[in-house]
Amino acid sequence: MTDRIEAAAAELRPLLQEFILWAPDHAPGSDPDLVGPAVLWHRLIASDDVGRWRRADLRTVLLDRMPKVVEDPDEAADGMVTAVRAYLAFLDATGRLAKGSDSLDDLLAELDHLEDDFVEAMEELIDEEGDYEEEEVDGGLGDLEPFADDLTALPTIRLRPDAELAAAAREVPLIARARDLALWVGTERRMGEESLLHDDEIEEALAVVGLPRPDTTGTALAEAVPHLWNLWNLAVDLEFLRPDGDDTVSVDPDTAAWPFEDDEDVLDAWMLGMHSVDYGDPELPDEDLTIVLSGLTRALLVRLLLAGGERSLAALRDDLAEAAADLDDLGGDAWAGAAAALGDPLGPPVEWLKGYGMVALDGDTLRLTPLGTEGIVHLVDDADLDVDARPAIDAMTAFELLAFSPELPEEEADAEFTAWLGLREPEQAARELLQAAVEDEADALIRVQAASLVGSLGDEAVPAWQEALKEPTLRAYAATHLAQLDVDGSEPTQADTHWIILDMWTISAGLGRHEFVSSLHDIGPSAVLCELLDVIWKVPHPHVEELLEAIGEAHPDKQVGKVAKRALFKARSRR
């Protein structure tokens, strides 16, 4: 999942950079930085087309998704709806509101309708965070913060590709059970006043999901089936079950289609339910002792990750028993109580994690599966902790390599490229990199990265460069590198040089105002820059208008600003 989020973020980066340049003049009351999470999740869960927005998407993103993923609800309450409003206006003004979208007026009207509900949802999160901070000052077994330094020090964690993860997720037995339970629930099932289901319904549900009826001597049946309620909660997390009103619940129409055909849909569902790891924590007759052991399943996962992905159950028991005792005066009693009631305090966490496809048990050795590694990396990410996780080299696409490289120190980036190159011939590598560079004509950073890496392959990249001459966004780089390799008839034109300059300005604009102005000064004195602006507007670069507008606003020399605005007028007049 992480690699898909990274790919979506890389896809959106150039568009968001344009929006950041556009917003100060056209939407001065908005904070463009706040739109990023909403736009990212719109791409991940609502639309394959980043420019296609519908009214229903706004509800899905702002009311269904943001409360689960937003990092600063206070900041979001103050400005996210305003930022989304500005972003939609930007898409419409720049012709990027795609066919199939609702009209801008309808979208803005829907935002107005949702705004109060969104703010209320954020305020509830603020209240919950305040309560959590009061109650959890000392942390818990599942608190990952104490492991921050150890997680940062881990060697690079390699994640498997989405296709492999999706194949594994389709086989997760707990999701299949949650599906079966949701299908049994059906449409508009009325929930009981004291328990979700009546006793006869509980017995039916147990049979549907393959659980035995427990011995209920001296205990109400509803209190003796915690695993059934965990499956019910998982079905809700997976969005297989949804409330219809205050006292009825229905199965979602798509539930019967699980396991879904589309890998992305499969992983989206699996990730929705991944936080169910907490359902693996032991439940004891004594509520105080149960609370002491809350977070045990997460604690087990992080220790597996720190151990390189596998560890003996005996070592985990000793470590976690000690952690429970150190955490709370009741820790020893809680561990002993879990051992007496369950046989093994780690039994429920291990069974739930096995059922969710995150661990495998071989004798006494517990191992993280690829899904488990993906999941715990996501939990670490959620905790705002750093861990170096990247796609596995053998599964890394050219686009992923290009997206990761700029964020790495030069030596590490070179090592990644060398390892990736070792799995393919240089000519094929060059073709893959250049093909990845044309996936989005607006992504200047990916394009420059590709040109740099392919340029390091020398003569073996010539066939790929010659093919790239036919690609408008790569022609400038192809002609430049072929000329450097003394290939006849490949001298770059002035327009090629200007294209490369515009790419560099696009990248620097995304780094901030100071870096952008510095890149303008690199051209030379103001007079030289003005001469360039008089002609560069003719280049059909995807960012030329935004860049000219930004130069007019940012350059300290008023004459340069005037020339940039004049060039912008000419560029717009040529549409």
Side-chain angles (χ1 to χ4, degrees):
M1 181 70 174
T2 301
D3 52 347
R4 190 167 74 262
I5 292 175
E6 291 291 342
E11 175 186 350
L12 286 162
R13 189 183 302 124
L15 188 62
L16 291 175
Q17 289 172 351
E18 288 186 50
F19 173 59
I20 290 170
L21 292 173
W22 180 91
D25 285 340
H26 301 88
S30 67
D31 182 351
D33 291 332
L34 288 179
V35 83
V39 172
L40 176 62
W41 283 100
H42 166 262
R43 169 63 183 84
L44 288 171
I45 66 173
S47 175
D48 290 335
D49 184 347
V50 297
R52 188 176 66 247
W53 284 78
R54 301 186 180 95
R55 285 173 295 179
D57 297 344
L58 293 170
R59 176 173 292 276
T60 298
V61 171
L62 293 176
L63 298 188
D64 295 343
R65 180 57 52 195
M66 285 300 106
K68 298 176 183 178
V69 300
V70 70
E71 294 183 359
D72 188 341
D74 194 8
E75 186 180 48
D78 286 341
M80 182 172 283
V81 171
T82 301
V84 172
R85 188 179 284 114
Y87 180 77
L88 293 173
F90 158 75
L91 292 179
D92 185 69
T94 58
R96 290 187 173 89
L97 197 59
K99 183 178 180 181
S101 298
D102 288 328
S103 71
L104 179 62
D105 288 344
D106 287 344
L107 291 170
L108 297 183
E110 183 69 7
L111 271 179
D112 291 340
H113 178 69
L114 297 176
E115 185 167 12
D116 288 345
D117 289 342
F118 175 79
V119 172
E120 183 178 344
M122 294 300 104
E123 288 174 347
E124 288 177 0
L125 288 177
I126 294 168
D127 292 340
E128 290 171 5
E129 286 183 357
D131 293 341
Y132 178 83
E133 288 170 3
E134 290 178 8
E135 296 171 6
E136 302 289 346
V137 171
D138 296 327
L141 280 176
D143 185 7
L144 304 184
E145 183 67 35
F147 302 99
D149 291 341
D150 293 333
L151 289 166
T152 301
L154 279 175
T156 299
I157 298 166
R158 296 296 180 177
L159 304 174
R160 299 308 303 168
D162 283 357
E164 291 184 23
L165 295 175
R170 289 185 177 95
E171 301 299 321
V172 168
L174 283 176
I175 298 183
R177 284 183 165 189
R179 173 205 59 201
D180 293 345
L181 179 61
L183 292 174
W184 170 83
V185 166
T187 303
E188 296 185 354
R189 179 178 290 268
R190 185 173 295 277
M191 294 178 289
E193 293 181 6
E194 296 182 4
S195 173
L196 288 173
L197 301 173
H198 300 299
D199 283 1
D200 57 342
E201 292 177 310
I202 291 174
E203 293 186 2
E204 287 183 32
L206 289 171
V208 165
V209 298
L211 292 175
R213 190 189 192 287
D215 179 9
T216 55
T217 303
T219 306
L221 179 58
E223 295 177 4
V225 289
H227 195 67
L228 177 64
W229 304 134
N230 284 339
L231 284 173
W232 181 286
N233 291 333
L234 176 59
V236 173
D237 293 341
L238 293 166
E239 299 180 355
F240 288 174
L241 281 179
R242 53 180 174 78
D244 280 330
D246 292 337
D247 59 356
T248 59
V249 65
S250 292
V251 62
D252 185 88
D254 293 333
T255 300
W258 177 267
F260 309 134
E261 292 185 8
D262 183 77
D263 288 350
E264 186 173 340
D265 291 341
V266 168
L267 291 177
D268 283 344
W270 185 85
M271 194 57 72
L272 283 175
M274 190 271 297
H275 289 277
S276 71
V277 294
D278 297 324
Y279 303 157
D281 295 344
E283 296 186 38
L284 306 176
D286 187 313
E287 185 176 348
D288 290 338
L289 300 185
T290 296
I291 291 173
V292 171
L293 294 184
S294 65
L296 181 61
T297 314
R298 290 175 184 247
L300 184 154
L301 282 172
V302 74
R303 283 165 173 79
L304 279 178
L305 185 68
L306 291 172
E310 68 175 55
R311 200 172 179 195
S312 74
L313 277 176
L316 285 167
R317 281 191 202 95
D318 291 343
D319 192 353
L320 290 165
E322 182 178 351
D326 290 342
L327 173 69
D328 193 285
D329 291 342
L330 292 175
D333 292 339
W335 196 263
L342 306 169
D344 179 3
L346 295 187
V350 170
E351 283 306 306
W352 188 270
L353 292 174
K354 283 170 57 182
Y356 211 64
M358 297 181 73
V359 300
L361 184 60
D362 182 10
D364 189 55
T365 301
L366 193 65
R367 294 187 178 87
L368 283 173
T369 65
L371 273 177
T373 302
E374 183 82 21
I376 183 58
V377 165
H378 188 79
L379 292 176
V380 170
D381 236 10
D382 274 357
D384 288 330
L385 302 178
D386 294 326
V387 65
D388 182 10
R390 309 175 201 166
I393 291 292
D394 66 316
M396 187 182 291
T397 66
F399 185 88
E400 289 169 337
L401 176 68
L402 294 171
F404 271 103
S405 295
E407 301 172 7
L408 301 176
E410 186 174 352
E411 288 185 4
E412 281 190 52
D414 289 344
E416 291 287 288
F417 178 51
T418 299
W420 184 84
L421 184 62
L423 299 177
R424 49 191 47 79
E425 295 298 322
E427 183 177 335
Q428 178 61 27
R431 285 196 169 92
E432 290 183 30
L433 290 166
L434 294 177
Q435 286 168 2
V438 299
E439 288 184 17
D440 183 356
E441 68 170 14
D443 199 329
L445 183 59
I446 292 289
R447 189 157 53 243
V448 170
Q449 274 296 116
S452 175
L453 294 180
V454 176
S456 70
L457 299 177
D459 291 337
E460 292 183 275
V462 167
W465 280 130
Q466 289 174 325
E467 293 172 11
L469 285 171
K470 303 170 188 175
E471 296 287 348
T473 59
L474 286 177
R475 206 214 100 79
Y477 298 98
T480 300
H481 282 278
L482 288 171
Q484 292 171 355
L485 294 169
D486 294 325
V487 176
D488 292 337
S490 301
E491 287 296 325
T493 65
Q494 184 183 60
D496 291 332
T497 302
H498 291 168
W499 180 280
I500 293 174
I501 291 172
L502 288 167
D503 268 357
M504 297 306 172
W505 284 352
T506 300
I507 295 170
S508 63
L511 298 175
R513 185 185 183 95
H514 175 76
E515 289 80 359
F516 182 48
V517 173
S518 178
S519 71
L520 299 176
H521 289 319
D522 289 342
I523 298 299
S526 294
V528 174
L529 180 56
C530 286
E531 290 179 7
L532 177 60
L533 294 175
D534 273 335
V535 295
I536 206 169
W537 64 267
K538 300 176 184 178
V539 179
H541 190 280
H543 296 288
V544 65
E545 292 183 20
E546 290 85 359
L547 290 168
L548 290 172
E549 186 173 8
I551 292 170
E553 296 297 330
H555 201 282
D557 189 318
K558 292 183 179 179
Q559 182 59 32
V560 172
K562 290 180 181 179
V563 173
K565 290 175 182 177
R566 187 167 63 242
L568 174 60
F569 176 78
K570 293 177 182 178
R572 286 175 173 169
S573 299
R574 198 180 61 170
R575 286 183 187 175

